[in-house]
């Protein structure tokens, strides 16, 4: 369980989906922007669709009723990313979930394990799901498109198998999606 925060922090630094329809074919599909992770271009309302949104509030809403404590800002990218950690018990596996709202980054960028990535939609919104983004069992991420050229990442690391982790991530992403700005 101690590795969850470290693994999730690594995920949040590099990189979120449900109902995948096609595989990303062994390599990341290029977008019209460079795949280099950079800071958002600016925080004006025109270029940042997340102005006025709080990732911790959104994550708390998406996790309501799932037994997670209140979300907290992450150490890295604290202005755009939050996380919540549920400790494992005898009856339930533990999980670490993060939500990152990244202006100026395409949802197809930074897929670190392309052979395990699929494109699809979450509630009709284009997205990419990546199984084991850091090449470790129990991890899953969903990258949701938020126009113009931004994304919301839902990342989960759990003390379960990858399939179960992706099911949980898909359910959480489906709760986050309606809280995001409309495309």
């Amino acid at each position: 369980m101690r590795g969850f925060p470290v693994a999730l922090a690594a995920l949040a630094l590099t990189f979120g989906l449900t109902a995948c329809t096609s595989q990303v074919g062994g390599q990341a599909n290029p977008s019209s922007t460079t795949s280099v992770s950079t800071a958002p271009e600016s925080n004006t309302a025109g270029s940042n669709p997340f102005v006025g949104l709080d990732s911790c509030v959104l994550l708390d809403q998406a996790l309501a009723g799932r037994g997670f404590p209140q979300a907290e800002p992450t150490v890295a990218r604290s202005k755009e990313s939050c996380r919540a950690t549920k400790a494992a018990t005898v009856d339930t596996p533990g999980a670490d979930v993060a939500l990152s709202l990244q202006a100026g980054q395409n949802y197809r960028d930074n897929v670190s394990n392309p052979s395990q990535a699929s494109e699809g939609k979450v509630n009709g919104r284009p997205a990419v799901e990546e199984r084991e983004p850091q090449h470790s069992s129990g991890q899953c991420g969903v990258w949701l498109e938020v126009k113009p050229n931004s994304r919301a990442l839902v990342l989960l690391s759990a003390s379960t198998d990858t399939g179960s982790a992706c099911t949980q991530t898909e359910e959480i992403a489906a709760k986050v999606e309606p809280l995001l700005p409309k495309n």
Side-chain angles (χ1 to χ4, degrees):
M1 286 301 292
R2 294 180 65 143
F4 287 145
V6 173
L8 196 57
L11 286 170
L13 285 173
T14 58
F15 327 45
L17 170 109
T18 69
C20 299
T21 57
S22 65
Q23 187 156 7
V24 177
Q27 65 182 19
N29 285 343
S31 68
S32 59
T33 62
T34 308
S35 292
V36 176
S37 179
T38 59
E41 296 166 4
S42 71
N43 287 330
T44 64
S47 64
N48 185 351
F50 303 119
V51 170
L53 292 180
D54 182 324
S55 59
C56 291
V57 170
L58 298 182
L59 185 57
D60 285 338
Q61 289 175 339
L63 294 175
R66 291 178 164 266
F68 281 86
Q70 188 171 5
E72 303 175 340
T74 60
V75 173
R77 295 186 160 194
S78 63
K79 292 182 180 179
E80 65 187 39
S81 302
C82 277
R83 64 179 272 221
T85 302
K86 179 171 60 172
T89 66
V90 173
D91 300 324
T92 60
D96 199 2
V97 180
L99 173 65
S100 184
L101 306 176
Q102 299 179 346
Q105 300 228 304
N106 188 285
Y107 77 102
R108 291 180 175 148
D109 289 349
N110 303 336
V111 175
S112 65
N113 192 2
S115 66
Q116 294 294 315
S118 300
E119 289 192 65
K121 294 187 184 272
V122 174
N123 300 336
R125 185 184 297 263
V128 170
E129 176 176 7
E130 184 175 3
R131 298 170 60 87
E132 302 179 3
Q134 293 295 307
H135 306 281
S136 293
S137 180
Q139 296 176 344
C140 197
V142 174
W143 291 245
L144 299 157
E145 178 184 53
V146 180
K147 291 185 178 178
N149 196 35
S150 294
R151 65 186 179 186
L153 309 178
V154 178
L155 305 163
L156 183 132
S157 182
S159 58
T160 62
D161 62 277
T162 302
S164 295
C166 284
T167 298
Q168 291 178 65
T169 307
E170 292 165 3
E171 291 168 357
I172 295 165
K175 297 280 188 181
V176 167
E177 188 281 327
L179 304 173
L180 299 172
K182 299 301 174 209
N183 276 345

